[in-house]
Amino acid sequence: MKVIDIIKDANANLLRNKLRTFLTILAIFIGSFAIVSTSAIQAGVNSFIDDQVNSYGGEGYLAIVNKDSMDALEGLTNAMGGGNSGPIEYDPDKKQDGMTPINEEQIEKLKKIDGIDGDSIVKQKSLDITYVTSKETDKKYLMGAEALPPGNIKVATINGHSLDLKADEYQLLLEHTYVKALGYDDQNIVDKKIKIVVKDQFTNEEKTFEARVVDVIAPGVVSMSMSYFNNKLADDIYEENTKYYPPEYKDMTAAVAANYDYNKYSAEEIKDKLEDIGLSAMTIDDIVGSIKSFFDVILTVFKIFGFIALIAAAIGIINTLFMAVQERTREIGLDKALGMSSGKVFASFTIEAISLGFWGSVFGIVVSIIIGNIVNVAFHAEGAFLESFPTFNLVIYTIQDVITVTLLIMFIAFLAGTLPARRAAHKNPIDSLRYE
Amino acid sequence: MSKKPLISTRNLRKSYGRRSAAFEALKGINLDIYEGESVAIIGKSGSGKSTLMHLLALLDKPTEGTIKLEGKNTSQFRQHKLNDIRNKKFGFVFQSFFMNSNDTVLNNVILPLKIAGVGFRERRRRALEALRVVDLADKAKNKANDLSGGQKQRVCIARAIVNDPKVIFADEPTGNLDSGTGERIIKLLFGLNERKGITLIIVTHDQDLANMCDRQIHIADGEVVEEGIKQELYDENFDGDNDNDGMREKNTIKRIDVEED
């Protein structure tokens, strides 16, 4: 008997008792729907979080400040409420009102630490921008901005454009709240020039930088309300800010960004090494890790529910096929009398089980994709809770996930089918033909 | 009948159950069935005639003894080979038809060819041809369930001949039919026997049907109690004076006069 005939017959047999087949498929559908939906949400959340991570410079990124500065930051957080250690005591010897600069000696030591990529060390120059404005508005706005962090830079943007770091023109990625204020919308602001004005703190002379908006930064959970400049714009503004500084102050910095070899060292090992030279660092995990693990826990729970549903569905398949074997006893007897081998009888019932699994998983996936996309659109509608995160796709269906789930369910269905199929295969044709 | 037998059994025994509870359904059957013959296996229910047919049709294995098919000992055959023989060389007609009643007539006839793995067009062509033989080609598309009993049995005969078998095993083929319809089925079967030379092995308890066969084998309590041949054949083969000419010792051969019974 040809395989194609076995498959055709198996599917035809499923249609004989439509209600029973439907109910069995429904059970598989629930499991498939749960697992595919959780995978899609997980993919959505992960992709969103990865965007956030990349906008920081990717995995291996370290934001390094002086240890004193970190204490000051913690003190500030504690003073604002929360924290376990309580307010920090006043210390007349400590500078409390800001960040302690990182000195050149520390940077030299940092370069020599094993696991730190010396070339990746970038001093975070804080840019002092007086205000920004555009042709479309009379209003002037304050702005926080910095050069893009080093490393694997992929800032999530609304229209998908990115900065040309080495361009000879002034470019920026604009923080999303500025778009409306400057009289544009997320799309038509692209390639428009805005005015960035820097006023010297000593002389009050004003210099205007006309910079092209390459794109708008998508709002994210770790947004620091920063706009990002390309190197030329950042360098020229810094130069303008510091043109009257004594030369030794020009290079002073409170924060350094660097990359470490995350394949070789754990974040804790690197942090300990930095501690030794009086520096304190934050990794990507410190910034976004807790959000990720929170989602992972919830989604794992949902996935487990999905698997439990699948186990119940597998029992449903076993039950359905045992009934089918019973009902078709005489048919099986006839098939065997007419020369069908036990192997083919076994195959025909397992293929029936696999078909049940296949259709259940396909319906689960299709319905999940439809509902997922409707919900995604609904959640991004005006007033809905994802409105302010336009790049956050709640569900992402990858071909890989879809195929994996389908194959997995077909395999579970096959395992479930082997029990009734064995019974059918072992039937004696004479007894089966006598069966009433 | 000087040819080699198509099927021959020696000391065929079949018992069910074990040791003290064992029941011996067949107690040493010796039989030779020749190509093109029509043979009736006749006996009361419980006589062992169905068991014998199942063994001859290779649907079951004997507890003891041998069955030779075309001179080859079938106990040496693997399951796969046995399946193949039933599929390609045997045809089956059952008392209660055994059809997939929700399927079409055509698909029911196609079944043996489908199992054999014959291609779609070829098996359709051959099934229609078989239906033409039983005069049901116009019902090919009908549901099997919508046919009358006689038509159903004709479909089963079409199914039995679709693979061009050497032997047709018919188990009480007229058992579920009225006498008129039964007669038509019998005519059909004997027609196939005569025209195509298909060996016919009919299991029945109906003496009238048995009388139409070339040879009758009476079974009682698992043994051959009597073996007889038709009048014409008797006249051809034995000259009346020599009682034991060409006969096996154990079985007695009786002249059977069709008119007498």
Side-chain angles (χ1 to χ4, degrees):
Chain A
M1 192 162 179
K2 289 180 177 167
V3 177
I4 181 76
D5 284 328
I6 299 180
I7 294 173
K8 270 191 198 163
D9 284 0
N11 277 291
N13 283 335
L14 287 178
L15 292 177
R16 281 208 227 167
N17 199 328
K18 293 190 185 70
L19 181 63
R20 195 171 67 194
T21 301
F22 170 75
L23 291 173
T24 313
I25 287 178
L26 188 66
I28 303 163
F29 159 85
I30 293 168
S32 159
F33 178 83
I35 292 176
V36 166
S37 302
T38 19
S39 298
I41 294 171
Q42 202 155 26
V45 169
N46 282 344
S47 137
F48 180 64
I49 289 173
D50 284 346
D51 281 350
Q52 310 296 315
V53 171
N54 286 331
S55 68
Y56 263 86
E59 211 170 336
Y61 170 82
L62 290 170
I64 302 168
V65 293
N66 212 304
K67 214 174 156 296
D68 296 340
S69 307
M70 190 60 99
D71 292 343
L73 278 175
E74 271 173 16
L76 189 66
T77 338
N78 291 338
M80 285 162 70
N84 307 324
S85 48
I88 291 172
E89 238 178 284
Y90 171 72
D91 183 350
D93 296 333
K94 251 184 187 170
K95 202 179 158 202
Q96 290 295 343
D97 56 345
M99 309 280 275
T100 315
I102 296 172
N103 57 43
E104 281 302 316
E105 198 189 334
Q106 280 172 312
I107 288 178
E108 282 311 309
K109 279 184 189 160
L110 179 64
K111 273 185 189 167
K112 282 175 194 143
I113 289 177
D114 188 25
I116 295 278
D117 175 9
D119 294 335
S120 73
I121 296 172
V122 173
K123 294 176 186 170
Q124 297 290 76
K125 295 165 177 174
S126 61
L127 304 176
D128 188 3
I129 295 158
T130 313
Y131 64 85
V132 291
T133 187
S134 77
K135 277 191 292 197
E136 305 294 322
T137 180
D138 297 330
K139 292 187 176 156
K140 298 168 180 178
Y141 300 97
L142 301 176
M143 177 185 255
E146 60 184 32
L148 263 186
N152 174 25
I153 300 145
K154 268 193 209 139
V155 179
T157 54
I158 284 175
N159 301 299
H161 307 303
S162 49
L163 284 185
D164 181 359
L165 285 180
K166 288 173 184 149
D168 204 32
E169 58 160 350
Y170 296 141
Q171 294 183 352
L172 80 153
L173 295 176
L174 190 64
E175 209 271 333
H176 69 107
T177 54
Y178 284 80
V179 176
K180 249 187 202 153
L182 294 174
Y184 295 96
D185 66 39
D186 285 345
Q187 278 72 41
N188 71 17
I189 197 165
V190 173
D191 286 341
K192 295 289 184 323
K193 291 205 167 168
I194 63 164
K195 289 175 184 160
I196 300 167
V197 178
V198 174
K199 203 186 257 184
D200 190 86
Q201 49 181 322
F202 308 116
T203 63
N204 272 354
E205 39 178 315
E206 272 189 12
K207 183 157 185 185
T208 301
F209 296 85
E210 292 220 347
R212 182 164 71 87
V213 176
V214 172
D215 210 332
V216 178
I217 300 169
V221 282
V222 289
S223 159
M224 304 290 254
S225 307
M226 283 283 184
S227 292
Y228 289 130
F229 292 173
N230 72 340
N231 289 344
K232 176 144 175 81
L233 184 57
D235 289 348
D236 286 5
I237 290 178
Y238 189 74
E239 188 53 43
E240 184 64 23
N241 286 156
T242 58
K243 64 181 173 185
Y244 296 114
Y245 281 23
E248 65 269 30
Y249 278 90
K250 273 196 183 183
D251 270 345
M252 220 143 89
T253 182
V256 167
N259 283 335
Y260 72 98
D261 185 351
Y262 55 88
N263 293 319
K264 222 164 131 190
Y265 294 98
S266 75
E268 288 314 308
E269 286 168 332
I270 290 290
K271 281 181 188 172
D272 285 346
K273 288 182 181 187
L274 292 180
E275 189 103 36
D276 294 341
I277 57 169
L279 296 177
S280 197
M282 267 166 72
T283 64
I284 285 297
D285 275 349
D286 294 330
I287 301 163
V288 294
S290 56
I291 303 166
K292 207 168 179 169
S293 55
F294 170 72
F295 273 107
D296 277 347
V297 168
I298 291 183
L299 293 173
T300 305
V301 169
F302 276 111
K303 246 183 201 169
I304 289 170
F305 286 149
F307 276 109
I308 291 171
L310 271 191
I311 290 168
I315 294 168
I317 291 174
I318 295 173
N319 194 23
T320 299
L321 289 183
F322 265 134
M323 278 193 271
V325 171
Q326 197 85 348
E327 280 171 7
R328 273 183 247 152
T329 297
R330 283 170 53 151
E331 249 170 76
I332 296 164
L334 180 66
D335 286 343
K336 293 189 87 171
L338 297 184
M340 196 189 273
S341 67
S342 298
K344 295 278 163 65
V345 174
F346 181 85
S348 75
F349 277 92
T350 45
I351 287 175
E352 218 171 304
I354 292 170
S355 289
L356 284 169
F358 174 77
W359 292 115
S361 67
V362 166
F363 288 137
I365 288 163
V366 168
V367 172
S368 170
I369 289 175
I370 293 168
I371 293 182
N373 282 300
I374 291 171
V375 168
N376 201 27
V377 170
F379 281 3
H380 285 99
E382 227 173 287
F385 85 104
L386 286 179
E387 190 202 352
S388 46
F389 300 106
T391 55
F392 182 9
N393 268 319
L394 188 65
V395 283
I396 294 176
Y397 295 90
T398 63
I399 301 224
Q400 210 180 329
D401 277 354
V402 165
I403 290 177
T404 309
V405 171
T406 309
L407 290 181
L408 174 83
I409 292 176
M410 283 165 78
F411 180 68
I412 291 174
F414 162 77
L415 288 183
T418 55
L419 282 167
R422 267 170 60 102
R423 179 179 284 186
H426 286 159
K427 277 200 184 287
N428 175 338
I430 298 165
D431 297 340
S432 303
L433 284 171
R434 277 205 202 105
Y435 181 86
E436 293 298 325
Chain B
M1 295 220 187
S2 53
K3 285 190 294 178
K4 276 191 186 168
L6 179 68
I7 300 174
S8 96
T9 73
R10 289 294 174 268
N11 189 30
L12 204 60
R13 289 172 188 275
K14 178 76 185 175
S15 47
Y16 298 101
R18 262 181 241 152
R19 289 169 190 253
S20 59
F23 163 71
E24 219 173 10
L26 294 179
K27 300 167 181 167
I29 305 270
N30 298 308
L31 262 187
D32 288 309
I33 294 168
Y34 295 88
E35 202 163 343
E37 255 192 318
S38 59
V39 179
I41 298 174
I42 185 163
K44 296 198 172 91
S45 74
S47 59
K49 62 182 193 301
S50 290
T51 305
L52 177 60
M53 189 207 85
H54 291 149
L55 290 177
L56 294 177
L58 306 179
L59 282 165
D60 206 351
K61 286 185 173 146
T63 317
E64 227 186 289
T66 55
I67 304 168
K68 281 187 178 169
L69 179 72
E70 295 172 316
K72 284 174 195 149
N73 190 345
T74 56
S75 62
Q76 311 288 326
F77 294 166
R78 287 164 176 267
Q79 188 60 44
H80 171 77
K81 170 95 177 168
L82 295 174
N83 289 341
D84 206 50
I85 290 170
R86 283 204 309 278
N87 184 244
K88 301 216 165 72
K89 294 194 172 167
F90 293 171
F92 293 92
V93 178
F94 303 99
Q95 176 178 8
S96 39
F97 320 135
F98 295 124
M99 301 173 75
N100 296 333
S101 48
N102 290 318
D103 218 339
T104 61
V105 165
L106 187 69
N107 282 340
N108 269 288
V109 177
I110 274 175
L111 187 61
L113 300 179
K114 198 188 216 178
I115 290 169
V118 176
F120 182 79
R121 281 165 171 275
E122 171 70 4
R123 69 195 188 203
R124 201 184 142 83
R125 187 187 64 75
R126 283 167 64 180
L128 281 170
E129 207 178 282
L131 279 171
R132 227 166 280 136
V133 172
V134 300
D135 213 11
L136 278 175
D138 55 324
K139 302 273 187 199
K141 293 257 185 315
N142 288 38
K143 258 195 173 187
N145 221 14
D146 298 340
L147 301 181
S148 71
Q151 287 173 327
K152 278 182 186 167
Q153 198 58 296
R154 273 149 69 198
V155 172
C156 289
I157 290 171
R159 183 178 66 195
I161 60 170
V162 75
N163 55 351
D164 241 333
K166 276 194 137 75
V167 189
I168 289 179
F169 293 92
D171 187 359
E172 302 280 12
T174 56
N176 274 353
L177 304 173
D178 62 71
S179 54
T181 333
E183 222 161 274
R184 188 163 179 195
I185 295 298
I186 298 302
K187 265 189 190 166
L188 200 51
L189 285 173
F190 282 100
L192 288 165
N193 171 243
E194 266 165 44
R195 275 185 288 113
K196 297 200 171 189
I198 299 174
T199 310
L200 201 55
I201 299 176
I202 300 177
V203 173
T204 185
H205 62 265
D206 175 1
Q207 188 62 53
D208 289 340
L209 173 53
N211 287 342
M212 297 174 73
C213 294
D214 296 339
R215 203 142 60 96
Q216 298 175 14
I217 295 158
H218 288 258
I219 305 274
D221 293 329
E223 284 174 302
V224 177
V225 289
E226 213 178 319
E227 212 173 324
I229 59 172
K230 248 204 243 177
Q231 180 73 56
E232 311 97 78
L233 289 173
Y234 187 87
D235 294 344
E236 274 171 36
N237 284 281
F238 315 112
D239 48 26
D241 298 330
N242 193 345
D243 273 8
N244 275 331
D245 194 7
M247 247 155 288
R248 288 201 304 278
E249 284 169 39
K250 196 175 175 190
N251 301 318
T252 35
I253 293 234
K254 185 180 86 165
R255 287 172 52 152
I256 296 162
D257 196 326
V258 180
E259 264 75 44
E260 266 175 26
D261 270 78

